[in-house]
Amino acid sequence: MAANSISHCFSLSITILFLYLLLVHCNVTYDRKAIAIDGQKRILFSGSIHYPRSTPEMWEGLIQKAKNGGLDVIDTYVFWNLHEPSPGNYNFEGRYDLVQFIKLVKKAGLYVHLRIGPYICGEWNFGGFPVWLKYVPGISFRTDNEPFKKAMAKFTQKIVQMMKDENLFESQGGPIILSQIENEYEPESKLYGPAGKAYVKWAAKMAVGLNTGVPWVMCKEYDAPDPVINTCNGFYCDYFSPNKPYKPTLWTEAWTGWFSDFGGPNYQRPVEDLAFAVARFIQKGGSFVNYYMYHGGTNFGRTAGGPFITTSYDYDAPIDEYGLIRQPKYDHLKELHKAIKLCEKALLNSDPNIVILGSYEKAHVFSSESGGCAAFLSNYNLRSNAKVTFNNMHYNLPRWSISILPDCRNVVFNTAKVGTEASRVQMVPTNVKIESWETFNEDVHSVDDESSMTVKGLLEQLNITRDTSDYLWYTTSVRISSSESFPRKGTPLTLSIQTAGHGIHVFINGQLSGSAFGTQQKRKFSFTKNINLHPGENKISILSIAVGLPNIGPHFETRNIGVQGPVVLHGLDEGKKDLTWQKWSYKVGLKGEADILGSPNSITSNDWTRGSLATLKQRPLTWYKAFFNAPGGDDPLALDMSGMGKGQVWINGESIGRYWTISVNGNCSGCSYVGAFRQTKCHFGCGGPTQQWYHVPRSWLKPTRNSLVVFEEIGGDASKISIVKRLTATDK
């Protein structure tokens, strides 16, 4: 018995020692040069793919394409408002299944950077915050505020514990090598002053105390406390250095393009410039680059923020919104990654020696006995190519480019020389017929009767809707006696409305009088229009519309939308009548929303009306329903909504998102890769709608009888809605 006990204890000790050594071995560390995984320093390329912006059926294919494109890491935010829609009630199902997404990344042999935040910005509704957080007593967002810190810590701990339970941190043998706490806080920190600095220190200490075994980062936060690494976001990050000499130089968002807002242009960042930016970063000592976005995807439902961010979040990424490879961006970056990996040993074992080759030309040379020699030859001239001599050899450098020489002699890659043909995208009609159209009209006359409350004065929209709907009705009455003379002689009767955004439709006695909208640049706007009133009681109904909640800036607790006033009638005998402080009735949402018309089985068919669509053109606040069979094949699908105005659309009860065919306001005069890229460059789409096509995931369809439900706010021709498929080819 004694011998057996000793043997058992010895075996147990060996097992414990092995597990301990395994854990130590798997810890992710860093030094001034790079992140080290299992003790090995690496140059790492990463790409942002956000799990809720695609479908679970797409995830594996997207991840594999990222791997084939030369990526080592998948980066994703964690979306608090999706996962905790109400306090303490969590959702990690379907598109929100974070654990499954990370396991698929592991299956593909890639690493994960988990950006918990939990504030994310991301052009996402309310920056990823759940709206209920705004109503926690005494809360002040993203500062040294106990109610906010308590909620933030609870959610962060929830996510970290989920990852630990599934052994997903690299310290447990999982794929997660980095985590992020907070997000782009530096611009806000200055506004919060000492409370902001205290908050940053608290957030860092809270995160590090969770003992994940992997480093934490804070992007765009210069004073990130040790051991948290501060990182860079931007179009270019070669200027960036971490706040301590023993931290690596990491680029957490290399912007591959830019997001679109309704009414704005679509952006395309030339891949020559993107590759140039990455090579500039690496030659300055950078060792981690994450492309934001590598696949942008779709803002399904009402998840788009901004406000006014489009449903498409394509971002001109290497993998497009539909999951198709975008050339030449994909292949050119893939070749860049190969070239830099050939230089990895030299890059990680030496510091650059800078050699001046000309007025605009330099060589960054990495040389060591253990790492060999690698060189980056750059030409920053905007106008002309250059011929340079380096190591007694002659090289031609195109303008605004960098050549990579893994052996300090032979060029294997130049950022301006693209060898892949450009993708040619076609949205091709299918032979699918959308049939059995029915309609349902919102009854503006009954809005007052269905109002949930009546109070004196104008109320802020979000406080009432709690973001359960984009829509809030404001209704009041104006009595005109038969003896009154109005409008005043020679003066039209005019209604003026001041609003905090984002849009309104104004109805006078049940008839649409006009509409007005803000823009992303100017969210607050005014409505002024001549109207007709009659003697007796007149009803003024204003349908206020949100187009995504703000996702950036300080003090989320103070954000407001809706009709703020004043609301004034001009032109009466008495001059003007201020309606701001009289009684207003409020109704959240639409009757169609209450009846869940977006669901195929929501109400009986008797509530819908069959009839010719020709008689319904340009009728506001109309619901449309029809059915269609799924097109054959596996090509990605979209709805062409160019014949409609503005609204929302559902397929089989799944929300495709908001649509709006507002025309592009931009400068589509041309696009050159030369020179620094900014949002003012490379505009596309002028003359057409910002977004015409809306992604329909194949996994949302049945073989036959798929329901299509559309809510149209302004008026359109539903008969022109069609199912198209997205095809790509390359220019010959």
Side-chain angles (χ1 to χ4, degrees):
M1 287 294 293
N4 288 339
S5 296
I6 292 170
S7 175
H8 175 73
C9 290
F10 178 78
S11 298
L12 185 61
S13 298
I14 292 294
T15 302
I16 292 171
L17 179 62
F18 173 78
L19 290 173
Y20 171 77
L21 291 173
L22 182 65
L23 286 172
V24 171
H25 180 66
C26 288
N27 274 356
V28 181
T29 59
Y30 63 80
D31 64 13
R32 69 182 186 89
K33 295 296 288 184
I35 299 290
I37 306 170
D38 296 345
Q40 180 181 355
K41 288 186 286 188
R42 301 276 301 276
I43 300 287
L44 295 169
F45 291 103
S46 172
S48 289
I49 299 175
H50 294 160
Y51 53 99
R53 281 175 157 145
S54 57
T55 63
E57 292 76 11
M58 295 174 66
W59 290 345
E60 196 161 10
L62 295 173
I63 293 164
Q64 188 60 48
K65 286 174 182 175
K67 181 178 182 178
N68 294 345
L71 297 193
D72 309 288
V73 183
I74 299 299
D75 168 300
T76 185
Y77 282 131
V78 178
F79 298 78
W80 188 358
N81 57 358
L82 297 184
H83 295 309
E84 193 176 6
S86 60
N89 295 311
Y90 296 100
N91 184 357
F92 291 93
E93 303 295 324
R95 293 205 324 277
Y96 311 159
D97 193 343
L98 173 60
V99 166
Q100 178 62 18
F101 179 77
I102 293 175
K103 285 182 175 179
L104 288 173
V105 176
K106 180 182 179 181
K107 179 182 175 184
L110 300 180
Y111 298 116
V112 171
H113 178 201
L114 191 66
R115 302 175 74 185
I116 299 174
Y119 164 70
I120 65 167
C121 183
E123 292 70 58
W124 192 259
N125 197 53
F126 217 48
F129 288 128
V131 171
W132 58 258
L133 198 64
K134 185 176 187 287
Y135 304 101
V136 171
I139 201 163
S140 183
F141 283 53
R142 303 179 73 198
T143 188
D144 191 19
N145 170 267
E146 291 305 318
F148 179 76
K149 291 192 297 183
K150 181 180 179 181
M152 174 178 167
K154 181 183 176 185
F155 181 74
T156 304
Q157 291 161 4
K158 169 80 175 177
I159 297 300
V160 167
Q161 192 58 50
M162 283 183 66
M163 300 302 106
K164 286 184 176 181
D165 290 346
E166 298 288 342
N167 297 316
L168 293 176
F169 287 106
E170 175 68 15
S171 55
Q172 304 172 291
I176 302 172
I177 59 168
L178 290 172
S179 290
Q180 180 176 294
I181 193 69
E182 250 299 336
N183 187 60
E184 299 185 326
Y185 187 68
E186 192 171 301
E188 319 310 333
S189 179
K190 296 171 185 175
L191 297 173
Y192 287 113
K197 291 184 179 297
Y199 168 66
V200 166
K201 291 179 180 178
W202 168 85
K205 183 178 180 181
M206 180 269 290
V208 173
L210 297 175
N211 299 314
T212 61
V214 304
W216 289 85
V217 305
M218 284 183 170
C219 65
K220 291 180 75 172
E221 183 54 51
Y222 180 74
D223 61 354
D226 286 355
V228 176
I229 308 167
N230 65 305
T231 68
C232 185
N233 293 355
F235 290 117
Y236 307 92
C237 279
D238 50 292
Y239 64 87
F240 172 78
S241 296
N243 61 16
K244 295 292 175 58
Y246 43 80
K247 294 180 181 179
T249 304
L250 312 183
W251 189 359
T252 38
E253 290 188 15
W255 297 333
T256 57
W258 200 242
F259 59 87
S260 296
D261 57 276
F262 285 116
N266 292 297
Y267 301 86
Q268 294 178 14
R269 185 179 186 185
V271 70
E272 299 95 327
D273 176 65
L274 179 57
F276 182 53
V278 172
R280 283 169 68 173
F281 179 73
I282 297 294
Q283 75 178 5
K284 290 287 292 290
S287 58
F288 178 98
V289 177
N290 175 66
Y291 297 104
Y292 188 100
M293 299 293 296
Y294 200 77
H295 166 259
T298 307
N299 294 317
F300 296 113
R302 298 187 304 110
T303 58
F308 301 105
I309 301 299
T310 55
T311 297
S312 170
Y313 198 65
D314 181 83
Y315 224 92
D316 196 39
I319 304 174
D320 74 13
E321 177 185 2
Y322 297 81
L324 300 176
I325 286 173
R326 172 175 277 117
Q327 299 289 19
K329 189 163 278 188
Y330 180 89
D331 273 358
H332 196 56
L333 293 178
K334 179 179 181 178
E335 294 305 312
L336 170 67
H337 304 152
K338 285 181 182 177
I340 291 173
K341 288 298 180 77
L342 291 173
C343 306
E344 185 175 44
K345 196 171 182 182
L347 291 168
L348 295 176
N349 286 280
S350 58
D351 295 320
N353 177 38
I354 301 174
V355 180
I356 303 301
L357 303 176
S359 299
Y360 298 93
E361 299 81 34
K362 294 180 181 178
H364 286 69
V365 185
F366 297 81
S367 180
S368 72
E369 291 184 7
S370 60
C373 185
F376 291 65
L377 309 184
S378 59
N379 176 12
Y380 283 71
N381 198 314
L382 300 179
R383 293 184 175 85
S384 59
N385 302 338
K387 293 183 178 180
V388 299
T389 300
F390 172 71
N391 280 354
N392 297 316
M393 296 182 68
H394 301 293
Y395 298 91
N396 294 317
L397 301 180
R399 58 185 181 149
W400 199 253
S401 79
I402 294 176
S403 288
I404 299 176
L405 292 65
D407 58 359
C408 286
R409 294 184 62 82
N410 297 295
V411 176
V412 299
F413 183 85
N414 178 272
T415 59
K417 294 181 178 179
V418 178
T420 304
E421 298 167 340
S423 299
R424 188 175 64 254
V425 177
Q426 296 175 297
M427 304 303 280
V428 179
T430 63
N431 59 0
V432 169
K433 292 183 179 180
I434 303 176
E435 299 176 310
S436 305
W437 283 101
E438 297 176 284
T439 63
F440 177 89
N441 194 244
E442 290 284 325
D443 184 3
V444 179
H445 293 280
S446 66
V447 166
D448 200 15
D449 302 332
E450 300 170 355
S451 296
S452 58
M453 69 173 79
T454 300
V455 299
K456 208 171 182 182
L458 295 165
L459 301 178
E460 194 275 329
Q461 180 170 340
L462 196 54
N463 284 339
I464 304 175
T465 66
R466 303 294 173 102
D467 199 37
T468 57
S469 171
D470 279 356
Y471 305 103
L472 177 65
W473 285 101
Y474 294 73
T475 302
T476 193
S477 294
V478 178
R479 176 168 288 280
I480 303 294
S481 68
S482 57
S483 61
E484 284 186 275
S485 173
F486 76 96
R488 198 168 49 195
K489 190 174 181 181
T491 304
L493 193 60
T494 303
L495 178 66
S496 67
I497 302 170
Q498 299 295 321
T499 174
H502 308 132
I504 57 172
H505 301 307
V506 180
F507 293 84
I508 306 297
N509 295 320
Q511 298 299 311
L512 180 63
S513 178
S515 304
F517 292 91
T519 64
Q520 193 189 50
Q521 294 73 30
K522 190 177 180 182
R523 297 163 193 185
K524 295 184 178 182
F525 64 94
S526 60
F527 169 95
T528 303
K529 189 166 183 180
N530 296 344
I531 62 170
N532 294 314
L533 299 182
H534 54 68
E537 200 78 15
N538 293 268
K539 186 182 293 184
I540 298 175
S541 297
I542 305 168
L543 182 59
S544 180
I545 308 148
V547 193
L549 300 182
N551 56 266
I552 195 168
H555 292 296
F556 275 69
E557 70 277 4
T558 66
R559 301 306 177 85
N560 55 49
I561 55 175
V563 180
Q564 301 289 282
V567 177
V568 181
L569 269 175
H570 301 269
L572 294 168
D573 274 346
E574 67 229 51
K576 68 178 183 180
K577 184 178 180 66
D578 192 337
L579 309 179
T580 307
W581 288 102
Q582 65 180 42
K583 285 186 177 180
W584 288 84
S585 297
Y586 296 88
K587 179 176 178 289
V588 175
L590 307 166
K591 188 176 190 307
E593 288 181 305
D595 291 341
I596 323 175
L597 294 192
S599 171
N601 304 310
S602 57
I603 57 175
T604 65
S605 58
N606 294 334
D607 294 294
W608 293 88
T609 302
R610 291 184 179 273
S612 171
L613 291 180
T615 62
L616 301 173
K617 291 179 183 178
Q618 308 309 318
R619 193 170 77 175
L621 306 192
T622 300
W623 295 78
Y624 298 88
K625 182 172 74 170
F627 295 91
F628 65 94
N629 296 334
D634 57 5
D635 298 309
L637 302 175
L639 282 173
D640 185 341
M641 300 297 290
S642 57
M644 303 300 285
K646 179 185 179 299
Q648 298 181 41
V649 57
W650 295 260
I651 287 186
N652 291 331
E654 298 279 0
S655 176
I656 296 294
R658 301 184 184 99
Y659 69 86
W660 195 2
T661 54
I662 186 171
S663 294
V664 166
N665 178 23
N667 178 18
C668 301
S669 57
C671 180
S672 170
Y673 82 86
V674 176
F677 183 84
R678 294 291 182 265
Q679 297 95 311
T680 53
K681 287 185 66 174
C682 298
H683 293 183
F684 292 85
C686 296
T690 302
Q691 185 174 351
Q692 177 177 347
W693 297 290
Y694 295 79
H695 181 205
V696 178
R698 280 271 184 181
S699 59
W700 289 4
L701 298 182
K702 306 176 294 184
T704 61
R705 199 165 171 76
N706 296 282
S707 71
L708 166 66
V709 175
V710 177
F711 172 66
E712 171 59 46
E713 294 176 19
I714 303 167
D717 186 351
S719 67
K720 292 183 178 178
I721 297 173
S722 63
I723 310 287
V724 299
K725 58 184 177 181
R726 186 174 179 89
L727 304 178
T728 59
T730 52
D731 293 323
K732 299 297 183 183

